[in-house]
Amino acid sequence: MGADTFYETWGHHYTATDMDVYLKGSFNEEVILEQLEKEIFWVCLLESEPVGYAKLRKDKQERLPDTSKYIELQRIYVYQKYHGTGAAHLILQTVIDYVTKEGYDTLWLGVYEENKRAVNFYARYGFEVFGEWGTFFFLISSLISHLSSLISHLSSLISHLSSLISHLISLCPFYTVDIG
């Protein structure tokens, strides 16, 4: 489900080869099993059919305000056919309830600022911009890592992608919500 929803959301931004490399590196069985041991997942089902999911990660901190206990909402995806059904709201509210119950001060996430639907969605829950870095950075840096090992002799390509990353970073704010 993770690879499918990620592809639905971002597949049109990248070449098929780049997306394939990223998906195989980020959503393979070994990676997922490792993540299931140390990260927190929720899957939303409708009559036993997967609708979407969320993933929390405890070990990542990027330019966060001073806080004693934080957690990252690393992924929240809903299949496109379920957009507008309230599934994303249910998933995010479940995450917020968990984070509150567990005593976290801050729930943070990265979002591509041009994804107005997502930005507005998070704003309705009180998330506020606190920095300029984002999810596209993580996507592109993962692609660069995989692509570099495959085509390291093409340093001009790496240089171009580095410039693109810098540009995308400037477009990607972080959002946070105070749940304390």
Side-chain angles (χ1 to χ4, degrees):
M1 174 179 16
D4 293 341
T5 55
F6 191 91
Y7 183 82
E8 271 189 350
T9 304
W10 302 110
H12 62 283
H13 288 283
Y14 301 98
T15 67
T17 301
D18 289 350
M19 185 57 70
D20 187 55
V21 168
Y22 178 78
L23 295 175
K24 285 179 180 175
S26 297
F27 295 98
N28 65 63
E29 185 176 348
E30 182 180 330
V31 168
I32 298 299
L33 289 173
E34 182 180 314
Q35 291 174 354
L36 285 171
E37 289 181 15
K38 61 183 180 178
E39 296 169 358
I40 304 161
F41 288 82
W42 287 269
V43 175
C44 180
L45 301 173
L46 176 64
E47 298 176 7
S48 301
E49 183 178 340
V51 171
Y53 78 103
K55 174 184 168 189
L56 290 178
R57 182 166 64 173
K58 298 178 186 180
D59 64 347
K60 184 77 174 172
Q61 181 176 357
E62 296 290 341
R63 302 181 198 167
L64 291 176
D66 291 334
T67 182
S68 60
K69 195 170 180 185
Y70 60 86
I71 195 163
E72 176 190 9
L73 176 56
Q74 184 185 23
R75 293 195 176 122
I76 181 170
Y77 285 95
V78 172
Y79 282 109
Q80 287 178 0
K81 70 181 183 178
Y82 294 107
H83 284 192
T85 65
H89 291 280
L90 177 64
I91 295 168
L92 184 55
Q93 190 59 58
T94 300
V95 168
I96 290 171
D97 291 347
Y98 170 83
V99 167
T100 302
K101 182 179 108 225
E102 294 298 313
Y104 288 94
D105 299 321
T106 303
L107 173 61
W108 73 277
L109 58 93
V111 65
Y112 178 48
E113 73 178 5
E114 296 301 318
N115 184 348
K116 299 300 183 194
R117 181 183 184 103
V119 169
N120 292 333
F121 173 72
Y122 298 125
R124 286 194 298 272
Y125 281 87
F127 284 82
E128 298 174 357
V129 175
F130 75 88
E132 303 253 339
W133 194 278
T135 52
F136 258 44
F137 171 78
F138 300 114
L139 169 63
I140 297 297
S141 68
S142 295
L143 287 175
I144 288 173
S145 175
H146 293 296
L147 291 174
S148 293
S149 66
L150 298 173
I151 55 173
S152 61
H153 63 282
L154 296 175
S155 62
S156 63
L157 175 63
I158 301 302
S159 176
H160 176 72
L161 288 175
S162 178
S163 296
L164 178 61
I165 289 169
S166 296
H167 175 70
L168 290 174
I169 288 171
S170 70
L171 298 175
C172 300
F174 277 116
Y175 291 82
T176 183
V177 64
D178 181 6
I179 57 172

